[in-house]
Amino acid sequence: MAASWGTIIFMLVIPCVCSTVFYRDQQTWFEGVFLSSMCPLNVSASTLYGIMFDAGSTGTRIHVYTFVQKMPGQLPILEGEIFDSVKPGLSAFVDQPKQAAETVQGLLEVAKGSIPRSHWKRTPVVLKATAGLRLLPEKKAQALLFEVEEIFKKSPFLVPDDSVSILDGSYEGILAWVTVNFLTGQLHGHGQETMGTLDLGGASTQITFLPHLEKTLEHTPQGYLTSFEMFNSTFNLYTHSYLGFGLKAARLATLGALETQGIEGHTFRSACLPRWLEAEWIFGGMKYQYGGNQDGVMGFEPCYAEVLRVVQGRLHQPEEIKRKSFYAFSYYYDRAADTHMIDYEKGGVLKVKDFERKAREDFIKITTTKMFGFNVLLYLSRICELSLFLSLLQLTKKVNNIETGWALGATFHLLQSLGISH
């Protein structure tokens, strides 16, 4: 299995949050623009701010971006970012929408403390919800969004039309692609090779890249190719969002929980877990009982087979991606860091087979070591998720990771659409 993956490389780079700064070795156009994660000391009319909420399935995150407009008519320079987050996500409050909005209110206080009062009225605030709310019934999702919008209207910030909405999965992938290629300098100038992006959230996963081969254009399913305009350029991208293939949702599907939701007293069992395990897990506001196969098999191979049944035949795999470079972020990065495959602060470089090796090692530890307590549940969940990666990574074959996501690209698009920045 590993041999078929070849020598595909993953670059997993630490999230750019707070004072963390990402630089490349060579001199680039953006070198020196990340001056601080805080607001500039000398705030002027040329300083712009944007507040973007990322309402994911497992948590809500706020990004407060600071930009400086050096020259009229030119793209503003990103100067810094304030980042904070809360858990769980909005979807966990599916029947308590006012309580969900309170979590957003707390994060708005972060924005108020990060932006000078003189700029509040011209700083737009927007919340985009992703797959966690896409999976909810429409009425329940809209009830959550309504309460959040009410909170925004009471805030001192600029609230655009449609300030609270569900982000289409394809745009989630596109905007993450814009973010990564902006930060790495690939969108500055012409003729540079862009990087593909992979985003793995709790409920969905996205792949986006700029195709060059005619074969890709001719054999790609309808709806996977789209044109996107930004920075005075048009990009013809391959992008797709797989709803239900995020880390948490796919784990549920592997356990069989998606097909039998709502059955009280039912325990979902998996070969990915030790026979003695009996545990409880809450996701998306629902509680699930799960455990190991008490009289059946367990281990890497049967676990991998379970995961494969969920994803096999449901993923489009363009041949071109074997020769492209990708950045991957979100849970790709988190699980590699949690299992000490990379350094959490510095990131690292991995091959696909490194995920397989780590998963096999951890399965051996489970079968030879008697472990109890809450820590073992975290440990076992990571192993299950690493096995899931082995199937999901077949979607791309190679990944390069930087934790940027779609929020920065969405903020650029927001500022331009409002005429705040040109």
Side-chain angles (χ1 to χ4, degrees), residues 35-276:
L35 302 179
S36 169
S37 67
M38 302 301 291
C39 307
L41 295 177
N42 300 315
V43 178
S44 67
S46 63
T47 302
L48 310 171
Y49 298 91
I51 306 169
M52 184 63 61
F53 280 84
D54 171 3
S57 60
T58 58
T60 301
R61 298 162 281 274
I62 185 174
H63 302 261
V64 183
Y65 294 109
T66 304
F67 304 92
V68 175
Q69 186 86 52
K70 294 282 187 178
M71 296 286 291
Q74 290 187 359
L75 189 70
I77 294 173
L78 173 65
E79 184 169 88
E81 175 194 37
I82 301 293
F83 173 86
D84 205 346
S85 63
V86 295
K87 291 183 178 181
L90 296 181
S91 57
F93 302 95
V94 60
D95 294 316
Q96 296 108 10
K98 289 187 180 296
Q99 190 174 344
E102 289 174 4
T103 66
V104 173
Q105 177 67 65
L107 291 176
L108 270 177
E109 296 303 313
V110 174
K112 290 170 69 175
S114 307
I115 300 172
R117 185 182 293 267
S118 59
H119 282 59
W120 282 359
K121 289 185 178 180
R122 62 190 187 99
T123 297
V125 57
V126 165
L127 179 143
K128 298 293 183 184
T130 55
L133 263 67
R134 288 186 216 129
L135 288 172
L136 292 181
E138 184 177 358
K139 286 186 178 180
K140 290 184 178 292
Q142 291 303 320
L144 288 168
L145 297 180
F146 174 81
E147 293 298 337
V148 171
E149 189 171 16
E150 291 299 300
I151 292 291
F152 278 5
K153 289 177 179 178
K154 295 174 185 177
S155 79
F157 300 111
L158 173 64
V159 182
D161 293 337
D162 198 28
S163 62
V164 179
S165 61
I166 296 176
L167 182 63
D168 180 83
S170 62
Y171 274 94
E172 188 175 351
I174 291 169
L175 294 171
W177 182 89
V178 169
T179 297
V180 166
N181 285 283
F182 170 81
L183 291 176
T184 56
Q186 311 302 329
L187 297 184
H188 186 76
H190 302 283
Q192 300 188 63
E193 180 66 25
T194 58
M195 307 291 287
T197 57
L198 287 163
D199 187 356
L200 183 63
S204 68
T205 185
Q206 286 74 233
I207 174 174
T208 305
F209 68 93
L210 184 65
H212 295 293
L213 298 182
E214 282 297 324
K215 183 178 180 181
T216 303
L217 301 177
E218 293 173 359
H219 295 88
T220 294
Q222 186 176 4
Y224 284 59
L225 298 175
T226 187
S227 294
F228 183 76
E229 294 185 9
M230 185 171 276
F231 307 138
N232 298 319
S233 298
T234 299
F235 303 99
N236 297 310
L237 299 175
Y238 174 108
T239 185
H240 191 69
S241 177
Y242 291 94
L243 184 61
F245 282 170
L247 192 61
K248 308 298 184 180
R251 181 202 285 178
L252 284 179
T254 302
L255 292 173
L258 289 182
E259 286 74 24
T260 52
Q261 282 186 8
I263 300 178
E264 289 192 27
H266 182 80
T267 298
F268 302 100
R269 302 198 175 276
S270 171
C272 299
L273 304 170
R275 294 183 182 88
W276 51 264

Side-chain angles (χ1 to χ4, degrees), residues 9-14 22-24 26 30 173 176-177 179-186 193-200 206-209 324-330 332-333 348 393 396 398-405:
I9 302 297
F10 295 81
M11 293 185 62
L12 298 121
V13 187
I14 184 68
F22 170 65
Y23 290 104
R24 300 176 68 174
Q26 67 269 33
F30 64 93
W177 182 89
T179 297
V180 166
N181 285 283
F182 170 81
L183 291 176
T184 56
Q186 311 302 329
E193 180 66 25
T194 58
M195 307 291 287
T197 57
L198 287 163
D199 187 356
L200 183 63
Q206 286 74 233
I207 174 174
T208 305
F209 68 93
K324 296 191 72 69
S325 297
F326 283 81
Y327 278 89
F329 33 91
S330 302
Y332 287 115
Y333 182 89
L393 288 176
T396 61
K398 55 182 179 179
V399 179
N400 303 317
N401 179 42
I402 181 173
E403 173 78 310
T404 51

Side-chain angles (χ1 to χ4, degrees), residues 231-411:
F231 307 138
N232 298 319
S233 298
T234 299
F235 303 99
N236 297 310
L237 299 175
Y238 174 108
T239 185
H240 191 69
S241 177
Y242 291 94
L243 184 61
F245 282 170
L247 192 61
K248 308 298 184 180
R251 181 202 285 178
L252 284 179
T254 302
L255 292 173
L258 289 182
E259 286 74 24
T260 52
Q261 282 186 8
I263 300 178
E264 289 192 27
H266 182 80
T267 298
F268 302 100
R269 302 198 175 276
S270 171
C272 299
L273 304 170
R275 294 183 182 88
W276 51 264
L277 179 67
E278 297 293 332
E280 185 178 273
W281 182 46
I282 299 175
F283 174 62
M286 293 192 66
K287 186 182 295 184
Y288 301 91
Q289 306 291 331
Y290 69 99
N293 290 334
Q294 296 174 336
D295 300 318
V297 295
M298 72 147 296
F300 178 86
E301 296 298 345
C303 175
Y304 184 79
E306 285 185 10
V307 177
L308 205 58
R309 282 195 294 271
V310 174
V311 300
Q312 198 164 34
R314 302 182 186 181
L315 307 177
H316 180 246
Q317 298 174 279
E319 192 73 19
E320 184 173 351
I321 59 177
K322 294 180 180 179
R323 292 177 291 278
K324 296 191 72 69
S325 297
F326 283 81
Y327 278 89
F329 33 91
S330 302
Y331 279 122
Y332 287 115
Y333 182 89
D334 294 341
R335 287 303 176 260
D338 289 345
T339 52
H340 308 293
M341 298 171 69
I342 59 171
D343 181 88
Y344 189 82
E345 297 295 329
K346 298 178 181 178
V349 178
L350 297 173
K351 296 180 180 179
V352 179
K353 62 184 180 183
D354 292 331
F355 283 93
E356 179 192 6
R357 174 186 52 78
K358 184 63 176 177
R360 288 184 183 276
E361 287 177 359
D362 287 345
F363 269 107
I364 292 173
K365 289 179 182 178
I366 285 180
T367 56
T368 59
T369 307
K370 195 85 170 179
M371 299 181 296
F372 298 96
F374 182 68
N375 287 337
V376 71
L377 299 182
L378 294 177
Y379 189 71
L380 294 172
S381 70
R382 290 171 186 165
I383 292 166
C384 179
E385 291 162 1
L386 282 177
S387 297
L388 181 62
F389 278 169
L390 293 177
S391 288
L392 285 178
L393 288 176
Q394 293 181 43
L395 173 66
T396 61
K397 303 293 185 184
K398 55 182 179 179
V399 179
N400 303 317
N401 179 42
I402 181 173
E403 173 78 310
T404 51
W406 53 264
L408 177 59
T411 305

